[in-house]
Amino acid sequence: MVTALFNGVEKQAKTWWSTLWGGVSDSLDSGASSSTLVNAMEKYGATNKYVYGAEGPSEFDCSGLVEYTLKKLGISFPRTSGEQYKASKYVSNPKPGDLVFFGPGGSDHVGVYTGNGEFYSAENERDGMGISKVHGGGYGSFAGYGRVPGLSDSTSSDKSSKSSGLLGTIKNQVGSGFWKFISKLADEFGDGGSSNPGGSGVQRWKSDVIKALKKNGFEASASQVSAWMKVIARESNGDPSVVNNWDANARMGIPSKGLVQTIQPTFDAYKFPGHNNPLNGYDDLLAGIHYMKAKYGSGPSAFARVSGPEGYENGGIINTNQLIEVAEHNKPEMVLPLTNKSRANQLIAQASQVVNGNNGSQVAPTDSESNKKLDKVIALLAALVSGQGNVQAVIAKSDVVNAIKSDNKTASQYSQMMGY
């Protein structure tokens, strides 16, 4: 009788723990691209090396990546996409983690559905691994979706309904704090990208750059990927844990940090739901690309702007309220208050001395002369901003003149005042 009582208690305890951690797994795996198979496929495909006929561990073709990943999850599965199609259970309403097949009998291509009409796969030798549209992605005729038998997150609705009542009781028993902790843990480690993929350097982030671009609505073309690889190289050299403690932002208490060096207010404003950790490389990429899109647009000039080596170092006109960094790399810059003529004039005179050197032959202009010259500068800047004419502002012996590009005056007479 004692044995029977013990066995009954042991069975109840096992059921209790199994249901609890099943709920934890569901909590961590929630989201459009967070099923066990999706995450594992992206993890093993991070090598970004496609070779026809390869089945791992460092090179894959499409079906080889599927077979290798499922094997790592403890599921034996056929090798070719056609055989995988036959071994899968056909479904018409796919969920993340289901397989996507193309060609007659699924024989041309296979990948894993990530949600929102997209799938991840080992694509080809040119593109490596990546995310594509199920319809219109260029893989030929769509054969259908297949669910992998035995996959842990493909459990039936009957099983879930039986455990739902017990799970609700367990949630009440462990308290809300436990589930908040689990949610925070998921945020810390991300839910669809790499916190810090294996290896070193910048290239290991390529698959995450591709995914983050596509999450932001870009096609992830070669030039777009290259631009953000340059951003990573410039900002952190591939180290997502870097925190900048020496610049103006740091002195203000908001140091730039992470893979693409966002400051906390910018990260908070542009982060994606569930991606709340700036020191998670993928989370920071998502926010950084989102910021670029909102700030500079989606065209080639936006990518050129963020990937350039100099940022704001070449100066320019700022006409909107914003938080920016000046004197990058300790290179001196000057800010002109264009609405304060007398102060701007003083600064222009100082800038001329710094740029051209003070040889003692120049006479400091009077306030009247300065204001007249400053009026001309402001008029020129206004014309440039509004696009009125092909105008350049130049300085010659402390005088300000208009110069048209077609003017035949020799350039050697003037020192050009550059800016954009």
Side-chain angles (χ1 to χ4, degrees):
M1 178 177 178
V2 173
T3 302
L5 180 62
F6 173 79
N7 289 339
V9 173
E10 181 184 29
K11 182 178 180 181
Q12 290 179 355
K14 287 181 177 179
T15 301
W16 191 94
W17 279 108
S18 176
T19 304
L20 170 65
W21 291 111
V24 169
S25 177
D26 290 342
S27 176
L28 293 177
D29 284 341
S30 63
S33 63
S34 62
S35 75
T36 303
L37 182 55
V38 172
N39 287 336
M41 283 269 287
E42 292 177 344
K43 173 184 175 181
Y44 297 120
T47 60
N48 211 48
K49 182 70 172 179
Y50 177 99
V51 175
Y52 181 76
E55 52 191 40
S58 59
E59 300 173 343
F60 298 97
D61 65 9
C62 63
S63 57
L65 179 59
V66 170
E67 182 208 22
Y68 182 88
T69 303
L70 287 171
K71 184 177 180 180
K72 288 292 185 180
L73 296 176
I75 298 175
S76 178
F77 210 57
R79 169 63 180 87
T80 66
S81 60
E83 291 300 316
Q84 291 172 356
Y85 180 78
K86 295 176 183 178
S88 302
K89 178 183 177 181
Y90 173 78
V91 293
S92 58
N93 187 23
K95 68 177 184 179
D98 291 335
L99 299 181
V100 185
F101 294 95
F102 298 86
S107 60
D108 287 350
H109 193 69
V110 61
V112 61
Y113 187 66
T114 60
N116 300 320
E118 297 180 331
F119 73 103
Y120 178 87
S121 70
E123 297 183 328
N124 50 58
E125 292 181 355
R126 183 191 66 187
D127 299 323
M129 282 48 167
I131 296 178
S132 300
K133 294 289 186 183
V134 174
H135 300 288
Y139 289 97
S141 60
F142 172 65
Y145 299 102
R147 189 156 295 166
V148 178
L151 196 60
S152 60
D153 60 350
S154 296
T155 52
S156 68
S157 59
D158 290 340
K159 183 176 179 181
S160 28
S161 63
K162 290 178 181 178
S163 63
S164 61
L166 177 58
L167 180 59
T169 300
I170 291 173
K171 285 184 176 181
N172 290 331
Q173 290 172 340
V174 299
S176 61
F178 176 81
W179 298 101
K180 290 179 180 177
F181 168 76
I182 292 298
S183 177
K184 183 177 180 180
L185 187 67
D187 288 344
E188 288 296 314
F189 289 94
D191 62 359
S194 301
S195 172
N196 191 359
S200 60
V202 175
Q203 285 301 315
R204 63 199 176 107
W205 290 102
K206 185 176 180 180
S207 62
D208 285 287
V209 169
I210 292 172
K211 184 162 59 174
L213 283 166
K214 291 186 175 182
K215 284 286 187 181
N216 275 280
F218 294 102
E219 62 177 334
S221 66
S223 62
Q224 292 171 347
V225 173
S226 176
W228 275 91
M229 295 297 283
K230 290 179 182 178
V231 173
I232 294 173
R234 183 192 67 215
E235 298 295 343
S236 67
N237 199 31
D239 183 356
S241 65
V242 170
V243 178
N244 184 335
N245 288 314
W246 54 86
D247 65 4
N249 289 322
R251 290 191 292 271
M252 295 173 61
I254 47 172
S256 54
K257 53 189 173 182
L259 191 67
V260 296
Q261 290 291 284
T262 56
I263 59 175
Q264 194 67 47
T266 299
F267 180 85
D268 290 340
Y270 295 97
K271 67 183 180 181
F272 274 47
H275 295 269
N276 301 321
N277 183 7
L279 297 182
N280 177 301
Y282 182 64
D283 291 5
D284 204 36
L285 267 173
L286 285 172
I289 296 172
H290 189 191
Y291 170 79
M292 175 201 72
K293 186 176 181 180
K295 185 72 174 177
Y296 304 114
S298 303
S301 62
F303 287 88
R305 173 66 182 79
V306 298
S307 63
E310 296 180 329
Y312 281 108
E313 290 180 27
N314 278 342
I317 300 172
I318 307 298
N319 52 23
T320 58
N321 189 355
Q322 59 185 282
L323 180 64
I324 63 173
E325 184 176 348
V326 296
E328 296 97 325
H329 307 295
N330 295 320
K331 296 179 180 179
E333 291 183 326
M334 182 169 287
V335 178
L336 294 179
L338 298 182
T339 56
N340 186 335
K341 293 184 179 182
S342 60
R343 177 57 178 158
N345 177 70
Q346 293 174 0
L347 293 171
I348 288 173
Q350 293 178 24
S352 177
Q353 292 175 1
V354 172
V355 173
N356 302 312
N358 186 1
N359 56 18
S361 62
Q362 294 182 342
V363 179
T366 66
D367 288 343
S368 178
E369 292 173 336
S370 300
N371 288 338
K372 289 179 180 178
K373 292 172 183 177
L374 184 60
D375 288 341
K376 293 180 181 179
V377 171
I378 293 174
L380 287 169
L381 291 176
L384 285 171
V385 172
S386 62
Q388 296 176 359
N390 190 7
V391 182
Q392 291 179 327
V394 300
I395 297 176
K397 295 183 179 180
S398 300
D399 195 15
V400 179
V401 297
N402 272 338
I404 309 302
K405 283 187 175 180
S406 60
D407 198 331
N408 59 6
K409 293 181 180 179
T410 59
S412 62
Q413 293 176 309
Y414 304 100
S415 298
Q416 190 174 27
M417 181 171 70
M418 300 297 292
Y420 71 89

